[in-house]
Amino acid sequence: MAITSHVFSTSEALADAVARKLSEHVSTKPDAVLGLATGGTPTIVYEALARDYRSTDFSRVTFFALDEYIGLPPDHPCSYHHYLWHRVLKPLGADPARVFIPDGMDDDRQRAAARYEASLEASGGVDLWLAGIGHNGHLAFNEPGSAFDSRTRDVDLNPVTRQANARFFDDPADVPTCAITAGLGTLKAHAREILLLVRGLDKAAILDRALNGPVTEEVPASMLQTMRVSGYFDQAAMPRD
Ligand code: F6R
């Protein structure tokens, strides 16, 4: 399946294009289902949404997050619950009953994963799902070697991922070692369209492998070549000749 790429010369233009697409979708479908990503890349989109698109009614939208750390309570400033509620869900007036973030605090991880999968199934599918990629090609927290048919589950985080995410924590040793993530098969089954956000020169090589290299479980994001994807990239992230 073809990936439609949009390339922007400024972060502001990229953020506005994605925020506008989400907002216009919700305007035409008030009970839309949207998927959210976390990390550094989408923050500019959430800022644009919270700043410029509050007049759109997001109260009937159902939201799914890709992943959550295991062992960080929802009110921990580095948890993805905290990130999403503060940056995007609260500013947009999301209904807590329509927000599904994997539960990284449930002692029974399989039960937490099954609950999340059941909610996705009941939602009827995610219209637009934001995603980023890791330097090692991970998609959500599906690290290299994850099966393309994997489902929501607990995973060990790759040292590369823990190192990249250490910037969000006071002490690198505090980065959790495990997470609960939507699987690659989960995304394939439930995401009708992925909005892939990639920014920065440091992502250019892995973006090239993901979009143009072999489709292989060693580069989980290469699965995107088999899905409907709109790419939102800055010029720095674009592969060079
Ligand atoms: C976040 C997620 C991750 C990030 C990826 C890139 O929910 O699932 O796959 O998208 O690690 O992170 P940043 O944007 O911080 O470079």
Side-chain angles (χ1 to χ4, degrees):
M1 234 170 279
I3 295 180
T4 312
S5 297
H6 309 272
V7 183
F8 299 87
S9 51
T10 66
S11 299
E12 292 74 24
L14 187 160
D16 188 61
V18 179
R20 195 167 356 101
K21 173 148 178 143
L22 294 170
S23 169
E24 283 175 0
H25 182 73
V26 170
S27 297
T28 55
K29 188 181 177 191
D31 61 347
V33 183
L34 299 181
L36 302 175
T38 52
T41 310
T43 53
I44 54 169
V45 172
Y46 300 146
E47 282 162 18
L49 276 173
R51 187 183 58 236
D52 302 329
Y53 293 92
R54 279 192 199 227
S55 58
T56 308
D57 180 7
F58 283 84
S59 66
R60 289 172 55 206
V61 172
T62 299
F63 293 95
F64 284 90
L66 283 171
D67 39 27
E68 177 58 289
Y69 290 116
I70 285 179
L72 294 191
D75 60 355
H76 188 291
C78 295
S79 77
Y80 288 165
H81 276 75
H82 188 274
Y83 172 113
L84 289 169
W85 274 105
H86 284 261
R87 288 176 192 272
V88 58
L89 296 168
K90 209 177 277 175
L92 295 185
D95 173 0
R98 297 175 202 258
V99 174
F100 300 92
I101 305 173
D103 181 358
M105 292 301 287
D106 193 329
D107 290 338
D108 186 337
R109 297 176 186 182
Q110 283 186 2
R111 177 179 60 194
R115 217 170 32 234
Y116 177 85
E117 286 273 344
S119 304
L120 261 176
E121 191 67 49
S123 77
V126 178
D127 302 319
L128 302 170
W129 203 328
L130 297 178
I133 57 175
H135 295 101
N136 62 358
H138 73 217
L139 185 62
F141 275 142
N142 294 281
E143 300 284 19
S146 298
F148 283 149
D149 63 358
S150 55
R151 288 292 176 154
T152 304
R153 68 204 183 289
D154 61 307
V155 291
D156 292 332
L157 294 176
N158 191 297
V160 173
T161 302
R162 293 190 66 231
Q163 200 179 5
N165 289 4
R167 69 194 196 279
F168 299 114
F169 290 77
D170 290 337
D171 182 342
D174 293 341
V175 183
T177 55
C178 313
I180 177 164
T181 184
L184 295 172
T186 309
L187 293 174
K188 179 102 184 189
H190 294 294
R192 281 193 270 276
E193 181 175 348
I194 297 279
L195 306 187
L196 178 65
L197 316 184
V198 185
R199 300 195 279 139
L201 183 59
D202 57 312
K203 294 279 179 71
I206 193 62
L207 178 61
D208 189 25
R209 285 180 71 194
L211 299 187
N212 305 313
V215 176
T216 165
E217 291 171 350
E218 288 314 307
V219 182
S222 67
M223 186 188 74
L224 295 170
Q225 293 180 39
T226 69
M227 297 176 67
R228 182 160 176 229
V229 176
S230 294
Y232 292 82
F233 310 133
D234 69 7
Q235 270 164 351
M238 289 312 290
R240 304 278 182 282
D241 294 329

